[in-house]
Amino acid sequence: DAGKSVPRLIIAGAPASGKGTQCEIIKEKYGVVHLSTGDMLRAAVAAGTEVGNQAKDFMDAGKLVPDEVIIGVVKDRLDESDCVKSGWLLDGFPRTPAQAEALADAGVSADCFIFLNVPDDVLVERVVGRRTDPETGKIYHMTFSPPDDEEVLARLEQRSDDTEEKVKVRLEQFHANVDAVKGSYTDISVEVDGTKSPADVSATIVEAIDAVLA
């Protein structure tokens, strides 16, 4: 199978699991096309494709875009030449069992499903401590990376959805979905301890990807 040699990857991780950092590293190392649902939807809408126009109708009406439209957008994107040639990294998709099933039915299969596992209490601490400097946009963390400058410290702001209550709601939704999605990928699933340093997490992921591509 000639298509076997390019990486076809899916990564899942809760908010604040370090997924964004790992996506950057994977993209850099393997040259894959990094795809998130939001970006793909926006691109399809901008390009005015058939599924893009369907998605736009739902978005304009303030409705959630239904699975079959999202799957259409994803499938179209994965069929484009850059993905076929370089491989792809689906970021946070599929996020429900129905989406996983629809993706399989559309003939899309992955080599590796990477799950960044971080305990909820660690995720909550990571999120609740986050602060942003409104003047520079730089993100700090009150425990792990507070600013040295008293003046900066005084003006830091917390995002309204970075409170413990709201994070816990987001995490409940995430767990309910990801546990079910993981069931669709048991054969290719790699669970990674996301509490380690980004370099250690990355080393584990690279090892797993290299093993399936070998």
Side-chain angles (χ1 to χ4, degrees):
D1 179 341
K4 190 70 190 126
S5 53
V6 300
R8 295 168 301 186
L9 313 167
I10 300 171
I11 190 166
S17 61
K19 183 162 66 70
T21 303
Q22 296 305 324
C23 285
E24 285 301 312
I25 295 171
I26 293 168
K27 188 173 89 175
E28 186 75 14
K29 177 160 174 58
Y30 295 99
V32 291
V33 183
H34 176 213
L35 302 168
S36 74
T37 327
D39 291 344
M40 285 186 279
L41 278 172
R42 282 187 288 275
V45 168
T49 62
E50 191 185 334
V51 281
N53 290 335
Q54 290 172 356
K56 187 179 188 304
D57 292 341
F58 287 101
M59 286 152 82
D60 288 348
K63 293 187 176 135
L64 277 176
V65 181
D67 280 353
E68 60 267 23
V69 177
I70 292 180
I71 294 290
V73 168
V74 173
K75 180 85 174 87
D76 279 0
R77 185 65 190 88
L78 296 182
D79 286 339
E80 284 181 34
S81 59
D82 57 347
C83 287
V84 172
K85 199 170 81 231
S86 307
W88 40 264
L89 171 65
L90 276 178
D91 178 356
F93 184 88
R95 65 180 64 211
T96 65
Q99 289 176 346
E101 200 175 315
L103 204 55
D105 291 344
V108 176
S109 68
D111 301 311
C112 198
F113 176 87
I114 302 152
F115 175 59
L116 291 180
N117 195 4
V118 181
D120 279 6
D121 54 345
V122 177
L123 293 168
V124 169
E125 186 188 11
R126 285 180 181 180
V127 174
V128 174
R130 280 199 299 222
R131 298 290 184 278
T132 308
D133 180 344
E135 287 187 21
T136 62
K138 189 166 161 33
I139 294 172
Y140 295 92
H141 194 284
M142 299 314 282
T143 313
F144 310 124
S145 56
D148 302 327
D149 187 333
E150 289 294 323
E151 204 177 310
V152 173
L153 190 63
R155 66 177 185 238
L156 292 183
E157 292 173 352
Q158 182 178 33
R159 270 179 37 186
S160 59
D161 57 354
D162 280 354
T163 60
E164 186 158 347
E165 296 73 27
K166 291 196 173 158
V167 176
K168 285 186 165 161
V169 171
R170 297 214 303 268
L171 288 177
E172 266 170 40
Q173 283 175 322
F174 171 78
H175 288 306
N177 286 330
V178 86
D179 288 344
V181 169
K182 276 195 322 203
S184 309
Y185 298 108
T186 41
D187 304 345
I188 59 164
S189 203
V190 177
E191 197 154 309
V192 180
D193 178 355
T195 61
K196 297 204 164 107
S197 74
D200 286 349
V201 172
S202 163
T204 309
I205 291 175
V206 164
E207 204 177 301
I209 295 172
D210 286 348
V212 294
L213 294 179

